[in-house]
Amino acid sequence: MKPKISIIGAGMTGSTTAHWLAEREIADIVLVDIVEGMPQGKALDMQESMPVIGKDVSITGSNSYEATAGSDIIVITAGIPRKPGMSRDDLLSTNAKIVGTATEETIKLSPNAIYIILTNPLDVMCLVAMEKGNLPKERVIGQAGILDSARMSAFIAMETGVSVENINCYVLGGHGDTMVPLTRHSNVAGVPLDKFIETEKLEAIVNRTRKGGGEIVALLKTGSAFYAPSAAVAQMCEAILKNKHLVVPCSVLLEGEYDQNGIFFGVPVQLGRKGFERVIEYELNDSEKEALKGSAEHVDANVKNLRDLGF
Ligand code: APR
């Protein structure tokens, strides 16, 4: 029997995650959404494309959590984007309820599942999932760092003309404008970035990386990025199911690492069949430490907002 991955929220990121996963042929896939017929329709359409690409996976859609029973991985993308007239608190409260309920309902049916969270504000939603599902920290992993690092790598590849396969970028911290692209640890074929690219150009790339999500939102006008975020989730799923011990930046609960305690925060982690296996700690200089501290303060403030809302 193939492993099973259930995706809660079959919108843009959810359905595109299913697409990338089906191409990798690593698991049967279930899409769940509250919109009647939509997950069923997308799943059937995708299932009908499997003969064309020659992949034997089952893709089903449902409006009920029952369909997720026995999942190895639960991916949560369900949520609402901010609409005109809505405060950030409204978004936080609404998405925290959605993520909390999705976790409570799915953990009953898949007690051993590993949770990958995409819903924003990401770092706080991970905390909600862990608490509502009463999950050990190893089994709650937020997707953000792979996406932010991939954006930076894409910009470096565009600038240098070097293959993306030779570029290793590491973006840490909270998922937002305060994220911390580590230029000193990032490299092109082993050469540190700050030795490979002129300072001004590198600064522009760092700035573009920080605002990468907003750049896509401005272009799309409705909705936010979905190809790169979902590709990142597919990579995480594969690393977990194949027990690859792959090191990638993800948001996990820190308990002392990087001088942080009790918040979900983007750091390099090793992913395997048990979830995240360990945090990899870089030696940081003072300015890098300061930048990470600022980013952590931002996540802390969001957690406080969550508590003020009664979560
Ligand atoms: N249960 C299941 N699905 C739900 C629920 C719920 N309780 N509430 C909302 N949804 C579904 C919506 O019906 C919608 O189909 O979640 C889906 C969200 O999809 P999109 O609106 O297309 O949003 P998407 O681009 O996928 O982003 C989802 O991921 O990257 C983050 O910031 C992004 O928080 C957002 C999330």
Side-chain angles (χ1 to χ4, degrees):
M1 212 169 74
K2 278 200 190 62
K4 177 171 174 177
I5 299 177
S6 292
I7 302 168
I8 315 301
M12 296 309 288
T13 53
S15 56
T16 317
T17 297
H19 186 179
W20 292 117
L21 286 172
E23 287 216 307
R24 289 180 186 226
E25 207 180 24
I26 50 172
D28 289 331
I29 301 157
V30 175
L31 282 170
V32 175
D33 203 287
I34 44 170
V35 180
E36 221 173 284
M38 184 267 267
Q40 293 88 341
K42 287 188 175 179
L44 182 59
D45 187 15
M46 223 178 293
Q47 186 76 73
E48 289 167 356
S49 68
M50 291 303 106
V52 182
I53 64 168
K55 303 292 179 189
D56 290 303
V57 295
S58 149
I59 309 158
T60 48
S62 178
N63 300 117
S64 148
Y65 290 119
E66 294 296 321
T68 66
S71 294
D72 297 278
I73 297 178
I74 306 272
V75 178
I76 301 185
T77 77
I80 54 152
R82 202 163 149 207
K83 298 197 185 84
M86 274 181 81
S87 70
R88 273 187 201 285
D89 281 358
D90 291 337
L91 181 66
L92 190 67
S93 155
T94 305
N95 281 356
K97 275 185 208 139
I98 292 172
V99 170
T101 305
T103 312
E104 281 167 350
E105 293 302 318
T106 51
I107 191 73
K108 290 182 207 157
L109 301 157
S110 305
N112 299 316
I114 292 169
Y115 282 72
I116 297 178
I117 312 296
L118 232 100
T119 306
N120 275 315
L122 190 268
D123 304 290
V124 185
M125 292 304 126
C126 290
L127 191 64
V128 171
M130 188 184 75
E131 290 180 351
K132 294 290 177 189
N134 201 15
L135 290 158
K137 67 173 182 175
E138 293 76 19
R139 283 167 47 201
V140 186
I141 311 162
Q143 184 294 123
I146 300 179
L147 165 66
D148 298 327
S149 305
R151 281 186 176 141
M152 186 164 162
S153 296
F155 301 147
I156 300 283
M158 288 177 205
E159 176 61 37
T160 60
V162 175
S163 166
V164 290
E165 292 194 65
N166 289 126
I167 300 172
N168 300 295
C169 289
Y170 300 95
V171 180
L172 308 190
H175 185 46
D177 295 349
T178 59
M179 67 180 75
V180 184
L182 289 182
T183 50
R184 218 165 48 90
H185 299 77
S186 304
N187 65 76
V188 179
V191 182
L193 275 191
D194 48 3
K195 303 266 183 306
F196 206 94
I197 300 178
E198 294 158 41
T199 310
E200 267 174 32
K201 284 186 178 156
L202 187 53
E203 273 172 13
I205 286 174
V206 164
N207 199 28
R208 190 175 177 192
T209 301
R210 286 210 181 96
K211 297 183 176 145
E215 184 178 0
I216 306 277
V217 169
L219 288 167
L220 293 179
K221 300 194 178 61
T222 54
S224 49
F226 53 97
Y227 285 115
S230 56
V233 174
Q235 186 186 38
M236 291 164 73
C237 290
E238 183 165 33
I240 291 167
L241 293 180
K242 290 188 175 169
N243 200 22
K244 279 174 79 85
H245 314 298
L246 180 75
V247 177
V248 275
C250 293
S251 184
V252 297
L253 184 77
L254 295 187
E255 290 179 314
E257 302 92 340
Y258 289 96
D259 294 330
Q260 298 305 323
N261 225 323
I263 57 166
F264 275 79
F265 203 54
V267 292
V269 295
Q270 186 175 299
L271 297 183
R273 194 60 192 86
K274 291 187 179 137
F276 92 82
E277 300 169 325
R278 65 178 173 140
V279 171
I280 308 287
E281 289 209 62
Y282 291 144
E283 254 181 50
L284 300 179
N285 62 27
D286 287 347
S287 72
E288 290 160 348
K289 278 186 191 159
E290 201 51 38
L292 271 188
K293 194 165 158 246
S295 186
E297 280 164 8
H298 187 78
V299 178
D300 263 334
N302 249 342
V303 173
K304 187 177 176 302
N305 289 343
L306 182 82
R307 300 301 184 212
D308 289 347
L309 288 164
F311 285 90

